[in-house]
Amino acid sequence: MDKVFTSVSYIFHPLFIPIAGTVSYFLVTPKYTSLSVQGGNILPIFILTVIIPILAFFILRNLGLISSIFAPTLKERKYPLYISLVLFFLILYKVIPQHYVHELYYFFIGLVVSTSTALLLLFFKMRISLHLLGMGNLLMFLIALSIHFEVNITFAIAIFTLTTGLVATSRLYMHAHSKPEVLVGLMVGIISQLVLLQYWL
């Protein structure tokens, strides 16, 4: 079971949430977008939210500032959060400005809000689950896309809800977080997207 839950933690690492949300948008939206337009969004977002953070992790680890990709301590956790915020703002200003892909723009605004909240809670010595924060963001975004475009993706939402439960179980089983940290992480992710729905739904 250890290997199963460790694999779940890696596969559904918060690192992959931004690109997962981006790909989900293009799969769900009924709006026509050419492959070149899709690639023009997906590729830079993949580079900025996956490749660069991985390179940053190796640099931080070599500097002795972080010990694991899961950033287990309060001190370690602030570095990936600061880097994520910078990269999210770069995406918002350069890759998907508001007038370009409205829905994705607010998805990333939600990621900024939730990441900022997680960073703020560190100052109160609370280390919420970033895995569940990411899953909450993506789950709420999928539900909102389904309503917004009137597309039936109930099966996908159900599967992802079960997956969210699996991720929560893995974090608890591995003693990476307490139940309150998992619950608060999930709620911060969901609420961060929920409060922005009034601007695009």
Side-chain angles (χ1 to χ4, degrees), residues 12-170:
F12 296 98
H13 193 279
L15 198 67
F16 303 118
I17 294 299
I19 191 64
T22 303
V23 173
S24 297
Y25 167 77
F26 286 113
L27 290 175
V28 173
T29 180
K31 299 177 183 178
Y32 172 75
T33 50
S34 65
L35 289 177
S36 61
V37 170
Q38 292 181 30
N41 284 271
I42 293 173
L43 182 59
I45 289 174
F46 177 76
I47 292 171
L48 288 170
T49 62
V50 178
I51 302 301
I52 291 179
I54 289 174
L55 293 175
F57 161 71
F58 285 114
I59 293 172
L60 291 172
R61 191 179 65 174
N62 287 336
L63 292 174
L65 297 175
I66 194 170
S67 62
S68 165
I69 195 169
F70 298 119
T73 68
L74 289 171
K75 185 177 180 181
E76 290 179 18
R77 186 152 293 215
K78 66 182 180 181
Y79 297 112
L81 290 176
Y82 280 131
I83 291 170
S84 294
L85 280 175
V86 171
L87 295 174
F88 289 156
F89 278 117
L90 186 59
I91 289 169
L92 287 169
Y93 283 103
K94 295 297 183 181
V95 181
I96 48 167
Q98 185 177 357
H99 66 277
Y100 187 49
V101 187
H102 201 58
E103 297 84 1
L104 268 184
Y105 179 84
Y106 282 104
F107 171 62
F108 277 92
I109 289 288
L111 291 177
V112 168
V113 171
S114 59
T115 303
S116 299
T117 303
L119 187 58
L120 179 63
L121 290 174
L122 286 181
F123 292 99
F124 294 95
K125 307 300 181 184
M126 186 168 188
R127 188 178 62 91
I128 66 172
S129 172
L130 298 183
H131 279 76
L132 272 297
L133 180 144
M135 298 297 280
N137 270 285
L138 187 54
L139 178 59
M140 191 66 242
F141 185 58
L142 288 174
I143 294 171
L145 285 177
S146 178
I147 297 170
H148 181 57
F149 291 126
E150 299 181 353
V151 176
N152 185 359
I153 54 171
T154 306
F155 182 73
I157 292 172
I159 292 297
F160 195 78
T161 301
L162 292 174
T163 303
T164 300
L166 179 61
V167 173
T169 302
S170 74

